[in-house]
Amino acid sequence: MEEEGWLSDGRMRANEPVLRFAPSPNGRLHLGHAYSALLNAHIAERLGGRLLLRIEDIDLGRSRPEFVAGILTDLDWLGLRFEALVRRQSEHFPDYAAARDALAARGLIYPCFCSRGQIAAKVAARAASGEWAPRDPDGAPLYPGTCRHLSNDEATACRERGEPHTWRLDMPAALRSVSEPPVIRRFSPDDGALETVAAAPSRWGDAVIVRRDVPTSYHLAVVCDDALQGITHVVRGQDLEAATDLHALLQRLLGLPSPAYHHHALIRDEDGEKLAKSKSSESLADLRARGITAEDVRTGLGF
Ligand code: GLU
């Protein structure tokens, strides 16, 4: 892997690096996004690579055109320039459906008809009877596997009745189907050094790979797009570090290349909490309205 490290003049050895910043347009950008975008730009420049923008708008209920416009305004204000062709995930559902169908044809995903309430009740009943109820890295109870045991006929009948369903990864089958266990290549933003670590996808259990409403999930769309866009280096927050275990497995299952990853520390508020659109953390637009300049933001974040 040495050929992928940095040269002494700070440039990359191997083929042209490609990075991406991939916000979801379900709110205005805050300082955490600014840090991630600026770090992507900094590393892309250091590597002599390209920087792409991807709008991750598969959540049709929460994504809004005004948030997409806000993202473009804020990134421009920060002085960041991206290549003109911006990939919008909502325009590429057929790509994700093809990946879904490939996994389904190999029996690696199965339709799940359980509602959240049913899953919660089942997990609670298990916990009450003293059974261990493991949780995924996001803290949600692992899916108890109910629909994995449906026969093909039962599942087909439910689908023909039009029952809403997700598609879940059959984790045991997926792990059995890969000839080599998935690994994650991590790179250091300081010197480009690479290290390879074993991925631990099983901690996600039978994760949802396809949501009810659209033919994908964040996990499936992100691995498809990183491959389709030729992304070589993923730079994103530590809140997505555990998801990379699942992404590494999906890449193996779909025969996709796996980029090198750097998960950066999160920007936190004065209470030590990570910033979040859902908590109405002060947005870049709010900061701008208070007279804070882009230069102040860049300097404050160390760029
Ligand atoms: N769209 C995700 C977010 O806004 C980032 C996904 C990624 O970088 O892989 O949190």
Side-chain angles (χ1 to χ4, degrees):
M1 286 299 159
E2 197 201 314
E3 70 277 10
E4 285 194 58
W6 265 286
L7 292 171
S8 52
D9 66 355
R11 309 260 306 177
M12 191 84 173
R13 283 174 200 269
N15 294 339
E16 193 180 37
V18 187
L19 287 83
R20 85 311 193 268
F21 176 58
S24 303
N26 48 25
R28 293 303 301 255
L29 298 187
H30 52 60
L31 281 174
H33 298 108
Y35 179 74
S36 202
L38 288 163
L39 185 62
N40 265 286
H42 173 76
I43 295 176
E45 194 183 328
R46 173 115 196 261
L47 294 171
R50 296 164 55 202
L51 179 58
L52 308 182
L53 178 63
R54 181 161 81 219
I55 300 294
E56 300 211 322
D57 57 351
I58 61 162
D59 191 332
L60 302 177
R62 291 171 68 214
S63 298
R64 301 246 184 286
E66 59 269 31
F67 293 142
V68 177
I71 288 170
L72 300 178
T73 303
D74 292 343
L75 295 175
D76 192 53
W77 176 70
L78 283 172
L80 294 172
R81 302 285 170 265
F82 294 85
E83 291 188 15
L85 204 65
V86 175
R87 185 172 171 94
R88 290 194 185 204
Q89 290 188 324
S90 60
E91 294 170 356
H92 297 279
F93 285 138
D95 290 337
Y96 316 132
R100 172 201 61 195
D101 293 347
L103 293 172
R106 288 162 57 203
L108 299 175
I109 54 175
Y110 60 87
C112 171
F113 303 91
C114 298
S115 65
R116 273 174 210 230
Q118 284 167 329
I119 297 172
K122 183 135 192 173
V123 168
R126 281 192 170 187
S129 67
E131 246 184 275
W132 185 48
R135 292 181 176 265
D136 73 18
D138 285 345
L142 285 197
Y143 178 63
T146 321
C147 289
R148 184 173 352 126
H149 308 296
L150 289 181
S151 69
N152 280 345
D153 286 351
E154 285 169 313
T156 306
C158 290
R159 287 175 65 194
E160 281 174 1
R161 281 199 300 273
E163 286 188 26
H165 56 280
T166 60
W167 287 83
R168 289 183 180 273
L169 191 63
D170 184 335
M171 184 59 78
L175 292 173
R176 278 194 308 272
S177 81
V178 290
S179 51
E180 282 184 49
V183 294
I184 299 167
R185 285 184 311 132
R186 295 187 188 144
F187 78 99
S188 155
D190 301 322
D191 60 6
L194 282 164
E195 68 166 342
T196 301
V197 296
S202 58
R203 57 197 181 133
W204 288 99
D206 287 5
V208 172
I209 297 302
V210 175
R211 295 160 46 129
R212 279 195 168 75
D213 52 342
V214 289
T216 186
S217 60
Y218 157 65
H219 302 299
L220 187 61
V222 86
V223 298
C224 289
D225 283 353
D226 284 341
L228 283 161
Q229 294 191 288
I231 304 300
T232 59
H233 292 72
V234 170
V235 176
R236 61 186 177 193
Q238 276 169 353
D239 51 343
L240 291 170
E241 185 154 19
T244 309
D245 291 284
L246 191 52
H247 300 174
L249 175 60
L250 288 173
Q251 286 154 352
R252 265 283 143 88
L253 295 173
L254 291 164
L256 302 174
S258 189
Y261 290 88
H262 170 63
H263 293 97
H264 59 74
L266 300 176
I267 302 291
R268 299 190 178 270
D269 63 18
E270 53 278 8
D271 302 323
E273 297 283 322
K274 80 169 193 177
L275 304 180
K277 293 167 192 152
S278 51
K279 287 192 314 185
S280 317
S281 298
E282 200 171 26
S283 68
L284 298 179
D286 296 335
L287 295 175
R288 197 157 55 238
R290 281 209 282 127
I292 308 253
T293 67
E295 193 54 36
D296 295 334
V297 171
R298 295 177 75 108
T299 313
L301 293 173
F303 293 95

